Amino acid sequence: AANALILVNANPANTGEVIQRLGAIAGARVHAVWAHDFVMDLEADTQEDITVIPRHKIRPIKGVTNTVTCICF
């Protein structure tokens, strides 16, 4: 398995929808760390799977303004 921490910035008007949709991603645990920022603890089968998730499942969420992915070794 591969693990990553993903920092997600969101527009304050969309935080409810963002945290709900982030929490629905398989292998994800989401933590609110400030008024409109989240840290996602993500586990996937491979590092390649982790690189696909921000691009295809997180950034398209309405209200997400930025992501930073830190793959854990």
Side-chain angles (χ1 to χ4, degrees):
N3 294 289
L5 296 174
I6 303 174
L7 172 64
V8 180
N9 297 110
N11 182 323
N14 301 100
T15 57
E17 178 183 354
V18 170
I19 198 166
Q20 182 180 24
R21 296 207 35 212
L22 291 175
I25 295 172
R29 289 186 303 157
V30 182
H31 309 277
V33 294
W34 192 242
H36 57 274
D37 293 322
F38 308 99
V39 173
M40 174 188 282
D41 184 359
L42 181 65
E43 183 176 332
D45 291 333
T46 67
Q47 288 182 3
E48 290 79 18
D49 292 337
I50 286 177
T51 62
V52 169
I53 290 169
R55 232 174 307 144
H56 297 289
K57 294 188 177 182
I58 299 174
R59 292 185 192 141
I61 297 172
K62 180 181 178 181
V64 170
T65 60
N66 189 46
T67 63
V68 176
T69 303
C70 303
I71 296 177
C72 304
F73 293 98

